[in-house]
Amino acid sequence: GMMSYPNFHGRDRALQYPDISTLYYACDVADVSCRHVILTRDPYAVIRSTTMNRELSTKHKAIQIYTMMLDIVYTQMITHPDHLAACWDYDDTGGEDLGALMGWDRGGIRDRDEMSFQETYASLFQGNAGTNSTERLQIIPQELEVYMLNMEQATERVRTTCREILQSDSK
């Protein structure tokens, strides 16, 4: 299943996130093979979605919480590199690697009555290609830019390290 950072809402939202060390312990005890996918998203789109579209928090608080969550994702990722299955960017409208990971046929339609992963993904995906510079200025006020820079750097650190782990595993 999918778990989010943070997961759920409420007063202690910043403390509600998946503990994948415990998850992997449970998998080991149950003798089940478990892996995780790291999903990242344009940080400005995250702040727009959570503070402007859904008003879950103030922008400053959201930036701080999501930066902290990215740091937790990073730490968990480097703690369990052998369980990393894939890196996926939410704003990537392709999704080919995600489809292959989930067992979909890369070559297209497997059966006349079945859509390929690409077709199914395109019919369901509502994302966009991130944000542009004009949108970014509208999303983040100038006084929060220094905090947003931290979130951007944390996002890029997770993306880069995720790719590096997968590349080192493929050698």
Side-chain angles (χ1 to χ4, degrees):
M2 184 169 170
M3 294 183 271
S4 189
Y5 291 75
N7 211 31
F8 309 113
H9 303 287
R11 193 183 76 211
D12 296 326
R13 188 164 193 242
L15 301 175
Q16 297 171 183
Y17 56 87
D19 178 349
I20 65 171
S21 293
T22 301
L23 175 67
Y24 288 134
Y25 174 77
C27 291
D28 289 344
V29 168
D31 197 28
V32 174
S33 175
C34 297
R35 300 178 77 190
H36 64 273
V37 174
I38 300 293
L39 183 143
T40 56
R41 184 177 184 192
D42 176 325
Y44 288 86
V46 170
I47 299 304
R48 178 179 52 209
S49 174
T50 59
T51 66
M52 297 168 77
N53 297 350
R54 294 182 286 153
E55 298 183 24
L56 298 176
S57 177
T58 66
K59 289 180 181 182
H60 184 220
K61 188 174 182 179
I63 293 166
Q64 295 294 79
I65 288 172
Y66 291 115
T67 301
M68 182 175 63
M69 292 298 111
L70 286 160
D71 290 341
I72 290 168
V73 168
Y74 175 80
T75 300
Q76 290 183 347
M77 178 177 56
I78 63 172
T79 302
H80 300 282
D82 51 324
H83 291 287
L84 182 61
C87 310
W88 184 51
D89 186 341
Y90 180 85
D91 303 306
D92 174 10
T93 58
E96 295 91 358
D97 293 339
L98 189 63
L101 177 68
M102 297 163 80
W104 284 74
D105 182 4
R106 279 185 186 264
I109 299 174
R110 294 177 288 185
D111 181 286
R112 288 190 88 84
D113 297 328
E114 286 187 45
M115 289 192 291
S116 70
F117 179 79
Q118 287 303 109
E119 292 166 324
T120 303
Y121 184 83
S123 74
L124 299 172
F125 186 67
Q126 299 297 318
N128 60 36
T131 55
N132 62 43
S133 58
T134 303
E135 291 172 315
R136 290 175 179 201
L137 290 172
Q138 294 169 347
I139 295 167
I140 300 299
Q142 185 176 4
E143 66 270 15
L144 297 180
E145 286 178 0
V146 67
Y147 301 105
M148 195 63 195
L149 178 61
N150 291 334
M151 186 174 170
E152 288 179 276
Q153 290 171 341
T155 301
E156 191 54 37
R157 182 172 45 252
V158 167
R159 286 176 174 161
T160 301
T161 304
C162 192
R163 288 189 300 265
E164 289 171 354
I165 290 170
L166 289 179
Q167 287 172 355
S168 70
D169 285 349
S170 65
K171 291 179 183 178

